[in-house]
Amino acid sequence: SVTATCEVITEIPSMLLQPLLHSLVVVFTLLVLVYGFAWILSTGKVLPQGEPIEEGGIQIAGLHRGLEFTQLQWACIVYWIFGVVWIFEILNALGQFAISHAVVVNTVHQEEEQCPMIKGYFVGLCFHLGTIALGGFIIGCLKILAAFLSFILSQTRDKEGLQGAVAQVLCCCCLCTVMCIERILSLVNDLVYTDVALRSCGYLDAVDNVVRVAASNPLTYMAIKASAIVMRVVGVSILGGCGTFISYQVLSSSELHRQLDMVF
């Protein structure tokens, strides 16, 4: 599997740039979403908090302030947070599909493209956006549900830090079940989007097919999964190493660095 991965990377060297491209897209999207979230928070009513401070017969209030939201505004905040999680899961799924599409085109259809990664993003957005959005929705809902159950579990303790056995068992069982399902889907997602790129099927059909194949051929699934992990690690390592080396060369050869060396 490692040999096949190296052969694919050799034939499609642009795949090593996928982590960088994905990071740029994620950072840009994050900035846009944070900006929009700030607009939502700005709709709240600013109220002073705490007792006013009296100094020299003059009362000073409003040194500490907080935001008060209506029920509709809280609903908008929750909706925005859910949308942020869903959008980021869609971006992750789109990146996985772009890699899968490039591999399928190169290894199965034996076709060479100029920019296979960009073509994979384009095909995912134009022809499989619904499938990718459904996959992101399912993973996002499971992650939010797991976070909510973790919060509920932390709130079942009393003032002394003790927790009822029944509440602990119930919360732990629900939390472990949700986290197990989310973990399984996250593990098979790489092959799910490969199946989507190969057969042009829906997300649920692809999950069913991948699970059946993985159950009938566990060694083959482990080999393919290991090759995907190797590809991801190699790409991130090369980009991180190159970025670190370039940064070091720029800083070490600058006049500012020489002046700092003279001082220290």
Side-chain angles (χ1 to χ4, degrees):
S1 59
V2 177
T3 303
T5 302
C6 295
E7 292 177 355
V8 172
I9 293 176
T10 303
E11 296 177 1
I12 315 175
S14 61
M15 292 184 65
L16 296 175
L17 298 176
Q18 195 274 339
L20 176 61
L21 177 61
H22 181 72
S23 299
L24 293 176
V25 173
V26 168
V27 170
F28 175 78
T29 306
L30 178 63
L31 293 176
V32 174
L33 293 176
V34 168
Y35 181 77
F37 188 65
W39 272 100
I40 293 179
L41 293 180
S42 66
T43 61
K45 185 178 181 181
V46 180
L47 296 175
Q49 291 182 342
E51 296 295 331
I53 301 176
E54 186 172 352
E55 185 70 26
I58 301 176
Q59 288 188 348
I60 303 175
L63 293 180
H64 301 283
R65 303 193 177 199
L67 292 174
E68 185 181 81
F69 300 101
T70 63
Q71 292 184 355
L72 178 60
Q73 290 170 337
W74 275 115
C76 292
I77 292 174
V78 173
Y79 176 79
W80 191 269
I81 294 175
F82 175 79
V84 168
V85 176
W86 190 8
I87 288 173
F88 276 105
E89 291 300 327
I90 290 176
L91 292 178
N92 291 332
L94 187 60
Q96 292 174 342
F97 177 83
I99 295 177
S100 301
H101 181 269
V103 173
V104 168
V105 170
N106 180 266
T107 58
V108 178
H109 300 292
Q110 301 292 328
E111 297 178 1
E112 295 184 0
E113 296 180 344
Q114 296 294 331
C115 301
M117 296 306 303
I118 297 179
K119 180 66 176 300
Y121 277 99
F122 176 79
V123 171
L125 287 173
C126 293
F127 302 104
H128 298 284
L129 184 58
T131 299
I132 293 172
L134 177 59
F137 177 80
I138 294 175
I139 298 295
C141 288
L142 290 175
K143 287 186 176 180
I144 293 176
L145 183 58
F148 178 74
L149 290 176
S150 298
F151 174 76
I152 295 297
L153 182 61
S154 65
Q155 297 299 312
T156 55
R157 300 181 182 274
D158 56 16
K159 296 180 180 180
E160 298 179 355
L162 300 178
Q163 189 176 34
V166 176
Q168 185 176 6
V169 170
L170 292 177
C171 291
C172 286
C173 289
C174 295
L175 179 60
C176 291
T177 302
V178 173
M179 292 183 65
C180 180
I181 297 174
E182 186 267 331
R183 183 60 178 169
I184 292 174
L185 287 179
S186 298
L187 287 174
V188 303
N189 255 355
D190 291 336
L191 297 183
V192 167
Y193 294 114
T194 301
D195 195 67
V196 171
L198 184 63
R199 301 192 301 127
S200 295
C201 59
Y203 182 81
L204 298 180
D205 292 337
V207 170
D208 178 68
N209 185 49
V210 168
V211 171
R212 284 190 289 105
V213 171
S216 59
N217 302 281
L219 295 179
T220 303
Y221 167 76
M222 293 175 60
I224 296 175
K225 187 64 181 179
S227 65
I229 295 175
V230 169
M231 182 179 300
R232 185 177 294 111
V233 171
V234 169
V236 174
S237 300
I238 291 178
L239 289 176
C242 292
T244 303
F245 178 76
I246 294 174
S247 301
Y248 174 77
Q249 293 298 323
V250 171
L251 292 175
S252 61
S253 59
S254 63
E255 184 65 26
L256 177 61
H257 191 274
R258 295 191 186 96
Q259 293 176 4
L260 292 175
D261 284 341
M262 294 177 60
V263 173
F264 297 104

